[in-house]
Amino acid sequence: MADQTGERRDAGARSGLRGDCANCFGLCCVALPFAASADFARDKPAGRPCPNLLGDHRCGIHTRLRQEGYPGCTVYDCFGAGQKVSQVTFGGRDWRTEPAGTLGEMAAAFPVVRHLHELLWYLTEALTLAPARPVHAGLRHLLERTEELTLLPPAELAALDVDAHRQDVNALLLRTSELMRAGVRGRKKDRRGADLMGARLRGADLRGASLRGACLIAADLTGADLRGADLIGADLRDTNLTDADLTGAFFLTQPQLNAARGTAGTRLPGSVTRPAHWAARP
């Protein structure tokens, strides 16, 4: 569990790891590709501005994204990479007014920084978890190193081997998970990487379970007990979390939660917020 001091430190450290669209040049609407599907109404290649992006970098259909066929946009979060690339990497230089080629450089740097900021999210949380104290020194070192990497110039960011760095981080996050789940009473289910698409898990006891990288697309977790579960990388698209208890669950991100379904009865850890599109009650 996280102590109160850790929670306050976590809240402050994560303030820069949430998207701030007002200080970004619409990079997620430019750099990333999407294909016509249930999530997006049309195709868009990487590096080309979305047709809904306005001249001031705001979304022209932001309040109607789901109705207009763009629910994929409502579940996305850049972990603060957008404002980092816009205001730090490129020093506040707008791609609309910069020389040709700037947009391509931004589009190449943005996904790299987004990956790094996601790692910063996990590392920051891990440093608030009391049972993980034996690895805090290593976690702190990796957090500082990751932050340094986010400050590289554009060309070096584009060439960075993010996967190699992620492996180093993951080794300590895995150890953090083991330490955290060891303190949960009862049998800890190992569902790491499990294919649980559409699984019927209503009321399931998943306390202290490892659900790292598990596929839970459209699974029914109504009323399930997920206290103390490791949810890093779990695919929660359309997962039913009605009345589920996720208090104490760790390594849960806002994009994961945004992609799931829940209600006012779903209990959440303090690191995330209840999505606005969730129903008040089933």
Side-chain angles (χ1 to χ4, degrees):
M1 63 178 68
D3 56 32
Q4 292 183 346
T5 301
E7 289 177 349
R8 289 194 295 270
R9 183 171 59 248
D10 180 45
R14 286 191 178 182
S15 62
L17 298 177
R18 302 179 190 274
D20 179 4
C21 297
N23 286 300
C24 175
F25 298 133
L27 295 186
C28 65
C29 305
V30 179
L32 305 179
F34 52 73
S37 62
D39 291 321
F40 300 100
R42 61 187 298 169
D43 295 330
K44 187 194 82 66
R48 181 181 299 176
C50 173
N52 298 311
L53 186 65
L54 303 177
D56 61 358
H57 303 298
R58 295 180 183 274
C59 175
I61 61 170
H62 180 71
T63 59
R64 310 188 310 277
L65 282 167
R66 287 182 173 268
Q67 297 91 316
E68 296 285 342
Y70 291 86
C73 296
T74 68
V75 303
Y76 179 79
D77 192 286
C78 71
F79 294 99
Q83 64 260 30
K84 172 69 75 66
V85 173
S86 297
Q87 303 301 331
V88 178
T89 311
F90 286 86
R93 293 182 286 125
D94 188 339
W95 56 266
R96 290 189 186 273
T97 58
E98 287 296 302
T102 302
L103 176 55
E105 292 178 345
M106 283 186 163
F110 172 69
V112 175
V113 177
R114 199 269 184 189
H115 284 308
L116 293 172
H117 270 225
E118 183 178 2
L119 294 179
L120 287 175
W121 177 278
Y122 296 134
L123 289 165
T124 300
E125 178 177 356
L127 282 167
T128 71
L129 304 176
R133 284 197 182 102
V135 293
H136 275 189
L139 290 166
R140 194 171 295 108
H141 170 74
L142 283 174
L143 184 142
E144 293 170 355
R145 175 56 181 156
T146 305
E147 179 61 36
E148 289 173 357
L149 292 175
T150 70
L151 301 176
L152 290 173
E156 293 184 40
L157 280 170
L160 183 66
D161 187 347
V162 179
D163 288 339
H165 182 66
R166 182 183 288 273
Q167 288 177 13
D168 292 339
V169 173
N170 189 58
L172 277 189
L173 294 182
L174 181 58
R175 180 59 182 146
T176 298
S177 175
E178 293 168 348
L179 291 168
M180 284 293 294
R181 295 185 300 109
V184 179
R185 279 186 170 185
R187 181 170 174 264
K188 291 82 174 177
K189 296 179 175 64
D190 186 357
R191 300 291 182 86
R192 183 177 182 182
D195 182 358
L196 299 170
M197 180 182 290
R200 298 178 181 179
L201 295 168
R202 293 176 67 95
D205 182 359
L206 294 169
R207 287 174 295 170
S210 174
L211 291 164
R212 297 171 63 87
C215 176
L216 287 158
I217 297 174
D220 185 1
L221 287 167
T222 299
D225 191 343
L226 292 151
R227 288 177 292 173
D230 180 355
L231 292 169
I232 195 167
D235 193 336
L236 300 181
R237 285 177 291 170
D238 204 33
T239 304
N240 189 349
L241 296 175
T242 298
D243 294 333
D245 190 351
L246 286 83
T247 52
F250 55 99
F251 297 151
L252 175 67
T253 67
Q254 194 65 46
Q256 285 174 295
L257 202 61
N258 290 347
R261 293 183 289 124
T263 64
T266 306
R267 283 157 286 184
L268 302 173
S271 58
V272 292
T273 59
R274 194 175 308 276
H277 60 272
W278 278 15
R281 279 289 173 186

